[in-house]
Each structure stands twice: as structure tokens, then as C-alpha cells.
Amino acid sequence: MNEAYENKRRELIKSMDMSASQTMFEMHQAMCSEWATALADKIDEFAEMGNNGVGMFTQVAAQLTQFIDQKEQYFKQNFGSFESATASSPTFMGAMLRTFGNAQNPPEFEAQGVKDSKTQEDYANALKAVNMGYKYGSLTIEPDGIFIVFKGLPSNVAEVQDMETPFAPNLVELPVITGDEFAKEKAPQSAFKSEGALKEWMSGQLQTNESAINNAIRSYLKTQGEAGKKLTKEEVMADQQHMEEAKNFYIQQAMMAIETPDMPVPQQTEGGSMIPMEDEEVTELSFAGGGKFEFTMKDGSKVPAQIFRNLDEMDGPSKSVFSRFEAKYGSGAARKLGFALGRA
């Protein structure tokens, strides 16, 4: 984002900050003012009641003081201030920082793989909503409580509930950024000189870059889910083996960013996708979803393809076919083929 534009944007947001000039939302200010006026108007009436009147006056005054404290705290917690807010804050000022003008997704949200689905207009409407419902001039002090007309109905002021966190973000997941997409967007050109260079760069990112780590976990979860293995983000993060697998998987995805022009191109089929193979044992490799990859052998039979294992962990046709395939297209080509089939 242009620095001059961002500075101007922040200046405009700062001009919206009312935390230095008011301590409550307008509706609450009106209620307090009318309460204080009604209390003053009843002083003579309370005085005529002797000690009982003094006690009632003291009680109603104490209720007003408590009400003021509550509404000032509500304003402070929900409106916030420009100086204290960040773009992720659940306050009006935080909402403006993340939605006003050409705002970018806050880095802390980006790292979690989420964004706020609410717009600037949504928050402007929320600001109006916290000031709606009360019929101005309707407050009365009665023997059994303080009453107002709220949303068209007589209500005891003690029972009227304010909106909870009206300016909190509504977080939704961002699309998963795959390893190759992350590399193409973030990696310097020097990292694409070789698979070794890109692997080294990605390994560094997966140590310190929260966005890379989060997307690696989400990519891993998606693939595991497609294979019928239901895991949660918390389970993966708590298990060192899962984390290593997730990072290695993301690095292998990133290798797809190094283009191999001669790699076969997947073709869509009715059941998924396939790729013809020029090989002495098989005629094609197909993907039918759910993590199911299969070779079609020369005799027409189908054999599972161990496409996401390392070569030294493969056996049967997978080991011989993918050994020849990687000898032709380079290390990691089998995994790249699997990713390409999964996306086709």
C-alpha cells in the first residue's frame, strides 16, 4: 500500500476518535442526563417522605452512579481509542483500522489464515445500533424502579441489555495458500535457481513465518482429510511428527513452483483426472479423489500408486515406475505429479 495513502487513511480514522470528548455512547448519555433531571425534580417529593424519602433518594442516586460507571466502561471497551487500538481490536476504532478505505488484512489475521468478513458499512450500522432502541424523554422514576421505553416497550432500566461486542470481527477462513503459491508470491528470484535453494528458503520460512506455518498446517490437514484421516489444527501443532510432516509436505508443494516444461499435463476425466504415462509397466496414472491414486497397468489392471511416499519407502510398481519418472523429470517429480492431478 502506498505510504502516503496509508498515512492519510490513518489521519482520517484518527479524526473519528471521540474517546477524548465523550465517555459514553449518545443513547446512554441521554438516559443519564434524563435520570439526573428526574431525580432533581423529585427532591421535594423525597424530602416530604422524611427518612424513607432520604433513603430512596440515596438509593436512586447510587443506582445512577453505578449506571454511569457501567456505561462508561462499556464505551471504553467497545469504542476504544485510536492510540490504543490495533486493526484486530474488537472496538469501533479497531474496526475502522481494518475496514476503512483500502485497508489490508491485519498481519495477525493473515498469520492465522483468517479475515474479517464485516465491512466498513457493517460497522457504521453497528455504531448506529448501539444508540437505537431508547425512546428519548421516556425515563421515569417509580417506587419499584427506574423505567424507560425501550424498543417500544416499558422496561426496567436494570433489565435492558446492551449489544455484546458490537464491533468484534467476524472471522472467516482465507483460502489455503499452497506451498508453490507461497513460494511464487514471497520467495526471491535467487531461490528458484534449484530445488535445493528453494528448499533452504522454505525451511527458513517454516521456522519463523507464522503465515507459512499456518498454511503448511492447513494444507496438510486438507490432504489428510481427503485421505480419510481427520485431524485438527491443535492435534497437528501438539505433535512434533505431524508438524514435521506438514512442513515437509509444504516444501514438496513449493517445488512445483520450479517449472518443469516437459512434465505431462493432467487431463480431467468423469471420475477425477488422469495423466498418460510413457512407461514400460503402466499406461496411465489416475486420481479419483479421497487420496486415491491408481496406475493402469499394461494388462489393464489397476494398482494403487504410492505417490506421496519417498522413493526409498515405496515398493512394487510405485517404486519402479516413479524411479524412472524422477530420473526423467527430476527429484520430487512424483509428488509434483500428485499435486497436479489433485488440482486438475
Side-chain angles (χ1 to χ4, degrees):
M1 183 183 293
N2 180 279
E3 184 177 353
Y5 175 85
E6 176 61 9
N7 290 337
K8 183 63 176 178
R9 190 181 79 91
R10 291 182 68 86
E11 283 180 19
L12 290 171
I13 295 170
K14 188 174 183 179
S15 70
M16 303 176 197
D17 188 0
M18 298 183 294
S19 61
S21 59
Q22 69 183 70
T23 60
M24 287 184 236
F25 289 108
E26 293 173 5
M27 181 177 74
H28 297 144
Q29 283 182 323
M31 292 166 71
C32 290
S33 176
E34 291 174 22
W35 191 335
T37 299
L39 187 59
D41 290 344
K42 281 187 172 285
I43 287 180
D44 291 341
E45 186 177 328
F46 283 128
E48 291 174 1
M49 297 169 63
N51 289 337
N52 287 339
V54 172
M56 289 177 63
F57 179 88
T58 302
Q59 183 180 7
V60 174
Q63 287 177 326
L64 173 57
T65 299
Q66 183 181 34
F67 185 85
I68 290 171
D69 290 342
Q70 290 173 347
K71 300 315 173 187
E72 286 182 342
Q73 185 65 19
Y74 180 79
F75 180 80
K76 184 177 181 180
Q77 290 177 344
N78 290 285
F79 189 86
S81 70
F82 179 80
E83 297 301 329
S84 64
T86 66
S88 61
S89 298
T91 63
F92 179 75
M93 295 311 299
M96 291 300 98
L97 285 169
R98 64 179 170 269
T99 62
F100 182 80
N102 188 23
Q104 294 183 336
N105 195 32
E108 51 267 55
F109 287 174
E110 196 73 27
Q112 298 172 50
V114 296
K115 67 175 182 178
D116 185 4
S117 66
K118 293 181 181 179
T119 65
Q120 179 186 340
E121 184 178 1
D122 290 330
Y123 288 115
N125 289 334
L127 183 60
K128 293 177 183 177
V130 297
N131 288 310
M132 292 175 63
Y134 173 60
K135 181 179 179 181
Y136 287 75
S138 66
L139 187 141
T140 59
I141 299 175
E142 306 292 343
D144 53 346
I146 314 302
F147 287 85
I148 61 172
V149 174
F150 191 77
K151 296 184 178 179
L153 298 173
S155 307
N156 190 312
V157 73
E159 298 173 355
V160 174
Q161 299 294 316
D162 291 312
M163 296 173 62
E164 291 188 19
T165 57
F167 309 111
N170 181 47
L171 299 179
V172 296
E173 284 195 341
L174 291 166
V176 177
I177 300 174
T178 59
D180 56 311
E181 291 170 338
F182 182 86
K184 288 176 181 177
E185 183 180 342
K186 306 289 186 181
Q189 195 59 40
S190 58
F192 294 96
K193 291 181 179 179
S194 67
E195 288 191 358
L198 184 56
K199 183 176 181 180
E200 181 179 355
W201 184 85
M202 286 294 296
S203 296
Q205 295 297 302
L206 288 167
Q207 295 299 319
T208 59
N209 189 311
E210 290 186 17
S211 179
I213 295 169
N214 182 70
N215 277 289
I217 294 170
R218 294 176 69 200
S219 292
Y220 179 71
L221 287 172
K222 182 180 179 182
T223 302
Q224 292 295 301
E226 290 173 349
K229 300 175 183 178
K230 300 300 181 183
L231 292 169
T232 66
K233 181 179 179 180
E234 290 71 25
E235 287 173 334
V236 173
M237 293 181 68
D239 187 289
Q240 185 175 354
Q241 182 177 344
H242 278 316
M243 282 300 297
E244 287 303 313
E245 289 176 357
K247 290 179 179 180
N248 289 335
F249 181 76
Y250 207 59
I251 289 172
Q252 289 300 324
Q253 281 186 323
M255 295 304 106
M256 292 182 64
I258 299 177
E259 296 181 5
T260 308
D262 296 330
M263 281 275 286
V265 178
Q267 303 171 17
Q268 289 187 341
T269 64
E270 186 175 341
S273 58
M274 60 80 70
I275 203 161
M277 298 193 72
E278 297 179 1
D279 185 82
E280 61 192 59
E281 291 183 78
V282 303
T283 59
E284 69 177 53
L285 174 66
S286 61
F287 173 64
K292 185 179 180 181
F293 293 85
E294 285 184 331
F295 290 123
T296 299
M297 308 304 289
K298 292 283 189 181
D299 62 6
S301 62
K302 304 288 187 180
V303 177
Q306 303 162 347
I307 199 163
F308 288 120
R309 293 187 185 180
N310 294 325
L311 277 177
D312 58 2
E313 297 173 343
M314 296 180 185
D315 54 32
S318 292
K319 189 174 186 70
S320 57
V321 172
F322 287 133
S323 291
R324 289 189 291 271
F325 191 82
E326 294 205 354
K328 182 177 181 180
Y329 294 110
S331 175
R335 284 179 181 265
K336 290 181 183 180
L337 187 61
F339 292 132
L341 280 166
R343 289 181 180 176

